[in-house]
Amino acid sequence: MSKTIKATADDIWKNKVEKINSELFTLTYGSVVAQLCRDFHNDYVQVNAQLERMGFNIGIRLIEDFLARTGLGRCQSFKETAEVVSKIGFKIFLNVVPLVTNWSGDGKQFSLVLEENPLAEFVELPQDDKASRALWYSNVLVGVLKGALQMVQLEVDVAFVKDVLRGDDATEIRLKLIKVLRDEVPAGED
Amino acid sequence: DPSVNELLFQNKDDLPGTVKILEDELIRSEDVHFRIESYGFSLGLRISELLLSQEQQTAHKLVELLDVMKFVCRDVWKNLYGKQMDNLRTNHRGTFVLVDNSLKLISRMSSSKGMTDTIGKAQPYLWFPCGIIKGILASLGIPASVTAEITQFPSVSFSIQTSIES
């Protein structure tokens, strides 16, 4: 199973995804974060929230692109969702495959550990303690994950728990399944 | 007063799968223009440094203003958009026109309301590359104003006005 997932993802990455220059991508994201820090006068809590909001808006749209490229159907379990997010989602959009790990006993929580983070290339946080304690530089990913998963009826709590930019040993995003939303059919449609 | 940002977020028509947001007149506000241009500017400053450190030989050649423009047309554009600019013209008095016959940022846009609408909606996307060019020139000590115009979609002319005589 996992082998076919990998093969599918590699194929999509190679043949169906248009690439852009990674420096363009990284530096553009950096400009956005820097601008937000200025806008919010280095209130990093607000910057995090804004990045998440921007990501959410990306995520609710990106999922359509994801489904169109992959032609995948519904996942049977949250475990499968985790695999698909990591091995296909991250692979085809960012060309990295985060490690799925730290499952909770009830199977409703797991972590994505990013060995490489394309968003954070060339990045150093400001020397002030405040930034390294409060800013989650790559927080847009949190929003993207939330938005995309919500569009496939999964209400998920997502948050960064570690970031190498802050001096942690790894970059880790925690996902927690809150509930599976019911398909709601708009009134007047069968 | 809520910021333009805040107001744009409140747009009720901004639903997944739609591009309604591009019809919001706030998109064309000075605030948004300035912000998008600054994203590009900040990127230009950095990418210039990065490219010149990777290609030391090019760095030595940037003597004349024209060399700098060629650097933008060739190295920068190739690096960012996978192709060079298609045309470079100058009046030798500080004005340059750089033409990309198919700007990647907008080349695949298409409005259901026709070409005039497509061009109108693509316009805000051009503030970004204008900012990039401005940032690169600034990093090399050349203050300039840069504007872009869609001549024949998706062909874009960038007009660069510097105060330096060449």
Side-chain angles (χ1 to χ4, degrees):
Chain A
M1 182 64 187
S2 73
K3 191 166 183 190
T4 47
I5 283 194
K6 190 179 179 302
T8 321
D10 282 346
D11 179 55
I12 297 169
W13 166 255
K14 270 198 201 109
N15 304 313
K16 290 196 194 160
V17 178
E18 212 179 318
K19 281 87 174 170
I20 63 156
N21 180 291
S22 68
E23 284 146 9
L24 172 67
F25 177 72
T26 304
L27 295 179
T28 305
Y29 184 68
S31 300
V32 172
V33 179
Q35 181 66 42
L36 288 176
C37 290
R38 282 193 289 273
D39 285 355
F40 292 112
H41 308 290
N42 295 344
D43 179 342
Y44 300 116
V45 176
Q46 285 211 55
V47 175
N48 292 340
Q50 186 71 16
L51 284 170
E52 182 178 328
R53 203 144 67 136
M54 293 166 80
F56 188 85
N57 277 330
I58 296 173
I60 56 182
R61 293 173 164 85
L62 197 67
I63 186 71
E64 227 173 288
D65 193 59
F66 174 85
L67 294 174
R69 283 181 209 280
T70 59
L72 282 175
R74 205 172 276 269
C75 290
Q76 298 307 312
S77 63
F78 198 48
K79 290 236 150 140
E80 193 183 340
T81 306
E83 291 293 301
V84 169
V85 166
S86 147
K87 298 205 168 74
I88 306 185
F90 272 84
K91 171 73 189 176
I92 68 175
F93 292 117
L94 292 174
N95 196 25
V96 292
V97 179
L99 186 68
V100 177
T101 179
N102 292 341
W103 277 101
S104 63
D106 60 4
K108 286 186 172 174
Q109 291 184 43
F110 68 93
S111 292
L112 290 169
V113 175
L114 287 120
E115 277 172 29
E116 274 179 281
N117 180 1
L119 291 176
E121 202 91 3
F122 316 119
V123 175
E124 277 176 46
L125 294 185
Q127 287 297 320
D128 66 70
D129 267 5
K130 212 176 135 205
S132 58
R133 269 189 325 221
L135 177 66
W136 292 115
Y137 180 85
S138 309
N139 220 36
V140 75
L141 292 178
V142 163
V144 172
L145 287 165
K146 262 194 193 171
L149 290 172
Q150 192 183 92
M151 294 305 276
V152 288
Q153 279 82 39
L154 294 174
E155 191 181 332
V156 181
D157 204 15
V158 188
F160 267 92
V161 289
K162 283 183 191 172
D163 190 340
V164 286
L165 290 180
R166 291 180 166 206
D168 296 327
D169 56 354
T171 299
E172 179 176 341
I173 308 172
R174 191 86 183 140
L175 287 87
K176 179 180 169 193
L177 178 64
I178 299 172
K179 64 175 178 205
V180 179
L181 302 163
R182 266 175 18 128
D183 266 328
E184 281 174 28
V185 182
E189 282 181 43
D190 285 321
Chain B
D1 265 11
S3 64
V4 172
N5 223 358
E6 205 65 38
L7 292 170
L8 279 169
F9 267 123
Q10 286 163 14
N11 186 316
K12 287 197 184 64
D13 292 328
D14 186 24
L15 298 170
T18 73
V19 289
K20 272 289 208 200
I21 193 77
L22 292 174
E23 278 166 20
D24 194 317
E25 58 190 41
L26 284 171
I27 293 280
R28 263 157 266 281
S29 68
E30 238 168 67
D31 205 6
V32 174
H33 185 152
F34 177 72
R35 172 181 302 253
I36 297 177
E37 195 178 88
S38 351
Y39 291 152
F41 188 82
S42 144
L43 184 136
L45 287 180
R46 289 170 174 78
I47 199 98
S48 160
E49 198 178 323
L50 196 70
L51 286 177
L52 292 176
S53 72
Q54 283 165 359
E55 295 171 51
Q56 304 269 337
Q57 286 180 331
T58 317
H60 292 300
K61 287 189 201 145
L62 301 183
V63 184
E64 298 279 330
L65 197 48
L66 186 61
D67 301 324
V68 174
M69 296 300 165
K70 283 182 182 164
F71 169 67
V72 173
C73 288
R74 290 188 190 137
D75 305 67
V76 176
W77 232 244
K78 189 103 208 260
N79 207 272
L80 294 183
Y81 298 117
K83 72 185 281 286
Q84 299 186 7
M85 287 270 192
D86 297 290
N87 201 343
L88 164 65
R89 289 195 303 271
T90 173
N91 67 354
H92 299 288
R93 285 195 299 277
T95 304
F96 294 83
V97 178
L98 279 53
V99 183
D100 185 339
N101 286 335
S102 178
L103 185 68
K104 204 168 181 179
L105 267 182
I106 61 162
S107 62
R108 294 172 81 172
M109 291 182 183
S110 174
S111 161
S112 57
K113 292 177 195 161
M115 193 44 87
T116 319
D117 196 54
T118 307
I119 291 176
K121 284 177 178 157
Q123 197 73 39
Y125 285 76
L126 303 179
W127 300 331
F128 185 68
C130 283
I132 296 181
I133 296 175
K134 218 168 146 176
I136 287 165
L137 297 177
S139 79
L140 297 164
I142 306 162
S145 74
V146 184
T147 54
E149 196 194 353
I150 300 172
T151 37
Q152 190 171 18
F153 191 87
S155 176
V156 178
S157 305
F158 294 93
S159 303
I160 305 170
Q161 184 69 51
T162 68
S163 52
I164 302 172
E165 299 263 319
S166 66

